[in-house]
Amino acid sequence: MITIPYLTAVSTYFSYGLLFAFGQLRDYSRLIFDWCSTNNLHGYAPICLAHEDFYIRRLYHRIQDCFNRPISSAPDSWVDVIERYSNDNNKTLKRTTKSTRCLNLGSYNYLGFGSFDEYCTPRVIESLKKFSASTCSSRVDAGTTSVHAELEECVAKYVGKPAAIVTGMGFATNSAIIPVLIGKGGLIISDSLNHTSIVNGARGSGATIRVFQHNTPAHLERVLKEQIAEGQPRTHRPWKKIIVVVEGIYSMEGEICQLPEIVSVCKKYKAYVYLDEAHSIGAIGKTGRGVCELLGVDTADVDIMMGTFTKSFGSCGGYIAGSKELIQYLKYHCPAHLYATSISTPSAQQIISAIKVILGEDGSNRGAQKLARIRENSNFFRAELQKMGFEVLGDNDSPVMPIMLYNPAKIPAFSRECLRENVAVVVVGFPATPLLLARARICISASHSREDLIKALKVISKAGDLTGIKYFPAAPKKQEEEKDRIKLD
Amino acid sequence: MYVRALPTTDVNRNTEWFTYPGVWTTYILILFFSWLLVLSVFHCSPGMAWTIVHLAHFTVTYHSFHWKKGTPFGDDQGIYNRLTWWEQIDNGKQLTRNRKFLTVVPIVLYLIASHTTDYQHPMLFLNTLAVFVMVVAKFPHMHKVRIFGINGDQ
């Protein structure tokens, strides 16, 4: 639940109105300038329509240096960020050869597999020497190696389903699989804050799409009742299939899905449940098995479980886990399996090794240590930020914590101030978030040490004071000291 | 003083910002401050300033609500390219609270402008024309109607 001070909401609208007005003024003057100058491209259609591009040209480009920062080292807890400069007010950015070592609060490196790992990396290098960097083929032609077969078995066992299929790209897993599962005459009910990959897949399937209020099982039930009663649009025939799509952890809010209630609603109305665990697999739950383990939901109740390997496993690609018949059907029909290049073999080996470490099958307890550390780090960081007066979203135990900024001017201010103090944060604004709710999203990793977190807190507090984002009153200091004493004891 | 921001079910990013708290107040405050600005810049009478604000409001809102079509984002893939902003808000549902508020604002502006100018011509004529066009454009029956093909698709 996001609580905004009313004055901040009004001032944010004012700011966006001003930016919009200035953007329109500049567009009009550009129109006049171009009318006077000659154009040697007569008869050619414009590449993109002027109004479609407006947001990118007039708002995004002004603060371009806060996004897409190139890095020159592995995304560990500390990362080398390459410095850039601009001679034309951020329209183009040029890289220099210098880089700064910054604390990395932006990478989805939840379990610390993002850099050299003593168990995984030697095995990946061995696999690279044996199988080479790419299979150069799709899975059905010549792209299935023994490592791929082992990976699918390993993933299915880890997630708790009978079978799994693995694709080479996480985004493409959603956008290529959803059109195969459902088509015209079906109904997709998706959470209002679902990721673009799900939206793309749903739009590409041709099914009717309805949206329910974020994480509200009561509204989902209302939408289901209404849609089942009405049937397909215009013909009012019963729906061929209903799939409800939810995510485990929502990456922009850090909130954990209310899975038990949603599964019970879907069971009642006989709809299928599609769970996207991109951010929650490997990061939450006692053995890292995701949101089902955390909330005590039987994996047999969730029909299709999807996830990606980019966040907790330090690799690339995505998987779908389900019943044997479902996976068999997907292997015959899914274009990501039939035509796309298979996941590269060293990356597959990285995933297998990472899963072995998490489950403790490599003979050490590093996996359990990592899981405990990420939970501890997330809870400590979130509690400290809330004590300082920041508005932090997300549930306890979730390693994603967005700090609300709201005003558009605070987005670049916070980001640049943090970079000046050698802390790299990710800031997000419209259109990835609603207009009013711009935020800085912090991702905590198991590889962050306590000193790293304390340094980050100091820097964020200073940047927060400068930009004025401590919207809540800070907890009084005496209580803080007492709590610290109790913690140490 | 805090307000709650509940996430909406509107998927159209061009219009969902209008469902959050604080928009109506900002709209009214912008109108009030622009009246003060016009008064201080042009040194005219309050009535003349209200007329100027009313006509400027008519131009700006007619252009952005009822003339410009589509969304300023490329990745909507053109599904709203035939709809003006007015036809997009609230998913096309008519007579919602937002629409009623946006219909009342030009009417109230008209009343203030005509009252403060003592119903004199030519301001009265211009104001009446503006409010007539504004209100007719917002009727539920005018949803997706293009008179004489004006602003229609190619």
Side-chain angles (χ1 to χ4, degrees), chain B residues 113-137:
Chain B
S114 6
H115 172 78
T116 47
T117 56
D118 282 329
Y119 302 93
Q120 294 163 353
H121 282 297
M123 282 83 69
L124 183 65
F125 175 68
L126 290 170
N127 282 337
T128 316
L129 192 64
V131 81
F132 182 71
V133 174
M134 273 263 91
V135 172
V136 165

Side-chain angles (χ1 to χ4, degrees), chain B residues 88-100:
Chain B
Q88 288 173 30
I89 55 171
D90 290 328
N91 267 326
K93 215 159 74 118
Q94 298 299 321
L95 298 175
T96 59
R97 292 188 74 198
N98 280 331
R99 287 181 188 246
K100 289 181 188 166

Side-chain angles (χ1 to χ4, degrees), chain A residues 1-6 9-10 13-14 28 51-52 192 203 211-214 219 430-431 434-436 471-472, chain B residues 1-9 11 13 16-17 20-23 25-26 29-30 63 69 71-75:
Chain A
M1 208 35 61
I2 305 182
T3 2
I4 321 176
Y6 198 65
V10 171
Y13 283 123
F14 259 120
Y28 279 130
H51 68 265
E52 262 183 14
S192 66
R203 282 193 190 158
V211 161
F212 72 95
Q213 215 167 52
H214 174 63
H219 192 245
F430 190 61
L435 186 75
L436 205 51
Y471 295 112
F472 289 155
Chain B
M1 199 204 125
Y2 295 97
V3 274
R4 293 246 146 126
L6 295 152
T8 53
T9 51
V11 277
R13 284 168 311 183
E16 55 115 33
W17 58 273
Y20 282 95
V23 202
T25 316
T26 314
L29 282 177
I30 290 181
H63 176 81
K69 297 195 282 194
T71 58
F73 313 108
D75 31 297

